[in-house]
Amino acid sequence: MYTKYEYKEKFEHIFQLFSSGLIFINDKGIILDLNSYAEKILHINKSDFIGMNAQHLYSLFNETLEAKDSFLEKLLNDGYLETHVEFQTFVGEYKYVHLVISKQNDSGLYLVEIKDESEKIYMKKRLDQSESLRTLGQLAAGIAHEIRNPMTSLKGFTQLLTQNATEDAKRYLTVINDEINKMEEILTQFLELSKPSKSKFTVINVEDTILEVVNFMAPQALLKSINLNVTSQINKECQVSGDSQLLKQVFINAIKNGIEAMPNGGNIHITISNKLGNFVSISVSDQGHGIEDEHINKIFQPFFTTKPTGTGLGLSHVYKVIEEHGGNIEIKSLVGEGTTFDFILPCQNSL
């Protein structure tokens, strides 16, 4: 038989090692205790929350005031609530958690169980993104060639008409020609997304590839009073297996986006370094206007753009290329301070 002290000690041991986050709240809404897993999921310190009102805890979640009021009303009426919520940790990481809150009839306490489902949600988003790109590719393959042929004819006729046109007519024809060029650009990006994977993978020296891209983009950056700074901390033995031309397109796109985000000039820092698990990281950081929080999770979606003249296809193509190379993209952004794209690729000997 266990003594009262042994029961308490055994319960405390189970409480701390439970596979979900657990929080006890009394009927006054005061946080009594929480286990180490709850601290880990929520990125908080136990000492900062014990004795605080539960509203202090719930303020972590990205919910509207109306949603929070409805949440509490349902909990008080039913004594039970199950929901999914999103929140951003103090270090800027987005997490998705499953909450189950129930009132314990024997003690009158509320037990909050928290399960971290971030990985499952991120996996679903990656699958949705891939499916979206596949659907877009099928659509593009079906219509792009049909549209391109008459557009080529239109472009030829505008050039012929320009030769004998009046000055006023030339201005109109120039506008028509510019719009046709924009449409051709969109169709080209459509076709890039629709192409089946025919990548020619070879062993690539990442540092040399980045320097080639930087040299290529340097004149464009100079025109905008932007300095491109490269720092290499990479282990020389780490090389990447991939398609050199496709990866160059990715880094050109990243630097180009940084330049466009900095109309007043500044610095773009490109850092090449190794990451744990035999990966290499190519980080591109600008000092631009940054990306709003609500846009971060949408920027790789086809057709989503914050640029007035953007197609919303550039970053979709970037995502597709990095995914095909077995890599990942991480983004950090602060409005008014800048954005960092971190392209993570497996080293050649890890494939």
Side-chain angles (χ1 to χ4, degrees):
M1 293 290 290
Y2 291 113
T3 65
K4 185 176 181 180
Y5 174 78
E6 288 172 331
Y7 268 119
K8 183 177 179 181
E9 190 177 50
K10 185 176 180 66
F11 172 80
E12 179 65 22
H13 182 71
I14 295 171
F15 177 70
Q16 290 300 332
L17 295 181
F18 199 71
S19 59
S20 298
L22 296 176
I23 302 174
F24 278 110
I25 301 171
N26 68 16
D27 58 357
K28 304 294 184 185
I30 303 301
I31 300 170
L32 302 178
D33 202 0
L34 54 100
N35 67 0
S36 57
Y37 201 69
E39 289 183 281
K40 180 180 177 182
I41 294 174
L42 299 176
H43 279 249
I44 60 175
N45 293 318
K46 180 177 179 177
S47 58
D48 294 335
F49 284 82
I50 298 297
M52 300 291 292
N53 191 284
Q55 291 276 13
H56 189 59
L57 181 69
Y58 198 47
S59 66
L60 295 173
F61 304 130
N62 299 339
E63 300 289 324
T64 64
L65 184 60
E66 293 79 6
K68 290 177 181 178
D69 290 342
S70 175
F71 180 100
L72 293 173
E73 183 180 354
K74 181 172 175 57
L75 180 59
L76 292 173
N77 290 337
D78 302 342
Y80 179 87
L81 182 66
E82 185 172 357
T83 188
H84 290 82
V85 294
E86 174 190 359
F87 74 99
Q88 187 176 14
T89 67
F90 294 119
V91 295
E93 179 185 6
Y94 278 93
K95 285 200 171 186
Y96 303 87
V97 296
H98 179 209
L99 292 181
V100 177
I101 306 176
S102 56
K103 188 174 184 179
Q104 309 300 298
N105 293 328
D106 55 343
S107 64
L109 300 179
Y110 288 92
L111 174 63
V112 182
E113 183 178 358
I114 308 172
K115 293 183 179 179
D116 187 354
E117 296 191 347
S118 301
E119 188 58 39
K120 183 167 75 174
I121 297 297
Y122 283 129
M123 179 64 73
K124 182 179 183 301
K125 287 186 174 184
R126 286 195 289 269
L127 290 173
D128 289 344
Q129 177 76 14
S130 297
E131 183 60 34
S132 178
L133 290 174
R134 278 194 293 271
T135 302
L136 179 61
Q138 292 168 0
L139 174 67
I143 67 173
H145 290 292
E146 295 297 325
I147 296 176
R148 208 168 207 176
N149 290 335
M151 279 180 56
T152 302
S153 298
L154 287 171
K155 192 170 183 179
F157 283 128
T158 59
Q159 290 171 351
L160 286 173
L161 289 170
T162 301
Q163 295 176 8
N164 300 313
T166 64
E167 289 303 314
D168 284 343
K170 285 181 180 179
R171 284 197 294 270
Y172 295 133
L173 288 168
T174 299
V175 172
I176 292 171
N177 198 55
D178 288 344
E179 294 303 315
I180 290 174
N181 287 334
K182 288 180 184 177
M183 292 172 69
E184 281 189 324
E185 181 183 350
I186 293 171
L187 283 175
T188 299
Q189 291 176 324
F190 258 141
L191 289 170
E192 286 295 329
L193 289 172
S194 69
K195 285 178 183 176
S197 180
K198 294 181 181 178
S199 305
K200 295 180 180 178
F201 278 40
T202 58
V203 176
I204 299 168
N205 184 301
V206 178
E207 188 173 341
D208 288 347
T209 300
I210 295 300
L211 290 175
E212 283 183 42
V213 170
V214 169
N215 288 333
F216 176 75
M217 295 299 294
Q220 187 174 338
L222 189 60
L223 287 172
K224 303 289 185 178
S225 301
I226 293 172
N227 299 311
L228 301 180
N229 304 308
V230 180
T231 303
S232 180
Q233 305 163 345
I234 190 174
N235 179 344
K236 300 297 181 182
E237 296 179 0
C238 179
Q239 295 179 311
V240 169
S241 177
D243 187 308
S244 177
Q245 293 306 313
L246 288 178
L247 289 177
K248 284 179 184 178
Q249 289 176 22
V250 166
F251 303 129
I252 286 172
N253 186 289
I255 294 172
K256 179 173 174 286
N257 283 344
I259 292 172
E260 291 175 352
M262 300 166 60
N264 299 319
N267 296 291
I268 293 178
H269 297 281
I270 300 104
T271 304
I272 313 166
S273 60
N274 292 101
K275 290 182 76 76
L276 291 176
N278 208 19
F279 287 84
V280 60
S281 164
I282 302 95
S283 174
V284 181
S285 300
D286 65 53
Q287 297 173 328
H289 44 65
I291 304 171
E292 300 283 349
D293 288 344
E294 62 266 27
H295 294 160
I296 286 287
N297 294 326
K298 300 177 183 177
I299 62 174
F300 294 117
Q301 294 176 8
F303 301 115
F304 178 83
T305 180
T306 57
K307 300 176 185 177
T309 59
T311 64
L313 294 172
L315 285 176
S316 294
H317 182 59
V318 164
Y319 181 93
K320 180 184 176 185
V321 171
I322 295 298
E323 184 184 51
E324 287 176 349
H325 284 73
N328 187 31
I329 306 173
E330 296 179 356
I331 309 170
K332 295 179 182 177
S333 188
L334 287 174
V335 174
E337 294 188 22
T339 301
T340 298
F341 280 84
D342 195 5
F343 302 96
I344 302 168
L345 296 166
C347 289
Q348 186 254 342
N349 55 4
S350 68
L351 294 177

